Amino acid sequence: MEKLLEINNLNVVYYTDESVVHALNDFSLEVMKGETLGLVGETGAGKTTMALSTLRLLPEQVGKITGGTICYRGMDILNAGKKQLRDLRGAEISMIFQDPMTSLNPVMTVGDQIKEVLDLHFPDMQPREKNQKVDDILKLVGIAPERKDQFPHQFSGGMKQRVVIAMALIAEPKLLLADEPTTALDVTIQAQILALMKELKEKFDSAMVLITHDLGIVAEFCDRIAVIYAGTVIESGTVEQVFSQTKNHPYTAGLFRCIPDLTTTAKRLTPIPGYMADPSNLPEGCKFAERCKNCQERCRKEEPPMNEAEPGHFIKCFMPEKGGMTNE
């Protein structure tokens, strides 16, 4: 299977007036052609930073990549020039941003905003053909082409998200970065949007990185899963391997314990104690040590290696847990 994206030991920091925030710490990830990878982690873990770094969209003067490599189909993104990046964004790698309300220009019609992608990447395409492609992509995402002359404020939240998806997919990119695309939507619309994204991904033979908090979404829509904690991947594998709970990182096991289990009569869920490590003051050793019930002395002093629990299933832990889905 062709490897589309390869990130190795990526380090990203944000410089603020108060401190230096270490957002990504030796972050490594691979995305294969045609697959859907679920990237799971709590708020502040570095999920969005990974996506922005891949497209070199970190805020200037604030976010800085201090180490590591990002390669897309052999292309070194971190050393790419401005023209290479313009050609890459939208045509090869597209991103669906977290909030559709702020992703659209309020003074441009949705049709013009979608067509802008074609203007940039296909300047020789005839205007009639561009308009036809805009109509076709709007139909695919479930919006009547007649509405392309309307403005974003005339659309509901779910419809805005469909427009953003149309913008991301009109150039038929090979890789789609979806940053919590359903967070602002109600549950019914969430299901429709996710089903639509899956259908379009298969139609265009695209790979997708789905950034989410929801393990249920990962179980239903993803092929592989990577769990991120304090800016680094602490577990990765196929959905079947991770969800079988034969072996998990203690953090992943804790996430499973937070899911209601209808087969038990537990009165309360079992939350993960404590808070995520402060990214501006990260501890030595394992970043999860302070919250881990299996913590040993060496966990506080040594960074655990990424061990292969089974072929294709990697866990960054000295003592992986078994049976994460217990409400004791």
Side-chain angles (χ1 to χ4, degrees):
M1 188 178 289
E2 181 187 349
K3 188 183 297 181
L4 279 186
L5 181 70
E6 184 175 11
I7 302 174
N8 283 316
N9 302 317
L10 185 66
N11 290 279
V12 177
V13 297
Y14 291 112
Y15 295 97
T16 70
D17 293 336
E18 294 80 21
S19 61
V20 177
V21 176
H22 297 270
L24 291 181
N25 305 288
D26 292 326
F27 180 95
S28 297
L29 191 73
E30 291 182 352
V31 182
M32 311 305 287
K33 182 179 179 181
E35 78 170 354
T36 301
L37 173 70
L39 188 62
V40 177
E42 56 196 294
T43 299
K47 304 184 298 298
T48 299
T49 296
M50 181 282 300
L52 294 176
S53 300
T54 301
L55 286 171
R56 296 265 303 275
L57 291 175
L58 290 171
E60 293 185 15
Q61 312 301 324
V62 177
K64 186 176 180 181
I65 297 171
T66 59
T69 59
I70 305 175
C71 290
Y72 172 76
R73 302 177 81 177
M75 171 187 170
D76 183 355
I77 289 179
L78 298 188
N79 291 313
K82 289 185 177 180
K83 184 181 185 306
Q84 285 179 297
L85 290 173
R86 279 197 302 270
D87 293 341
L88 181 78
R89 296 167 181 156
E92 291 285 336
I93 306 176
S94 277
M95 184 168 176
I96 299 174
F97 292 92
Q98 192 165 349
D99 185 3
M101 313 297 176
T102 57
S103 300
L104 296 169
N105 189 330
V107 297
M108 286 178 67
T109 65
V110 298
D112 284 344
Q113 293 187 60
I114 297 171
K115 188 163 70 69
E116 194 173 29
V117 180
L118 299 176
D119 292 338
L120 180 63
H121 293 293
F122 304 99
D124 297 331
M125 187 182 290
Q126 294 298 314
R128 180 179 296 179
E129 188 179 352
K130 289 179 183 177
N131 288 326
Q132 185 60 51
K133 285 185 76 71
V134 170
D135 290 351
D136 291 343
I137 197 71
L138 284 173
K139 287 178 186 175
L140 279 175
V141 298
I143 298 176
E146 296 77 30
R147 298 195 65 183
K148 68 181 178 183
D149 294 326
Q150 295 182 344
F151 292 88
H153 73 272
Q154 295 174 281
F155 291 80
S156 66
M159 284 294 191
K160 284 191 184 80
Q161 192 62 284
R162 290 170 185 264
V163 172
V164 171
I165 292 170
M167 288 174 62
L169 290 174
I170 191 165
E172 300 183 19
K174 297 300 181 187
L175 177 60
L176 182 64
L177 305 175
D179 187 6
E180 300 186 38
T182 61
T183 298
L185 308 176
D186 62 67
V187 176
T188 306
I189 303 301
Q190 277 187 28
Q192 293 176 9
I193 293 295
L194 287 167
L196 171 65
M197 289 173 59
K198 183 178 181 181
E199 178 185 337
L200 294 177
K201 182 189 97 57
E202 292 171 354
K203 177 179 175 62
F204 296 126
D205 192 26
S206 301
M208 179 165 64
V209 177
L210 180 60
I211 297 172
T212 182
H213 294 279
D214 193 330
L215 287 171
I217 288 175
V218 172
E220 185 170 353
F221 290 97
C222 297
D223 305 307
R224 288 196 305 123
I225 176 173
V227 182
I228 179 173
Y229 184 82
T232 191
V233 173
I234 49 93
E235 182 169 359
S236 66
T238 66
V239 168
E240 291 80 8
Q241 288 171 333
V242 176
F243 277 73
S244 69
Q245 299 169 57
T246 52
K247 272 190 178 180
N248 288 121
H249 188 282
Y251 175 65
T252 312
L255 293 179
F256 283 126
R257 283 194 288 269
C258 293
I259 300 173
D261 185 352
L262 300 180
T263 64
T264 69
T265 56
K267 293 182 179 179
R268 297 180 66 86
L269 299 177
T270 307
I272 302 172
Y275 299 93
M276 191 174 74
D278 182 358
S280 63
N281 185 27
L282 291 171
E284 282 187 80
C286 178
K287 307 301 182 283
F288 188 66
E290 291 298 324
R291 306 175 70 182
C292 181
K293 66 181 182 181
N294 299 329
C295 178
Q296 298 180 339
E297 189 59 33
R298 69 170 177 169
C299 299
R300 302 179 189 276
K301 297 179 180 179
E302 301 175 36
E303 183 82 21
M306 185 67 92
N307 297 308
E308 191 168 16
E310 57 184 308
H313 185 195
F314 297 89
I315 303 174
K316 191 180 179 68
C317 183
F318 293 118
M319 298 178 61
E321 270 194 41
K322 292 184 180 181
M325 193 73 166
T326 56
N327 289 327
E328 297 177 355

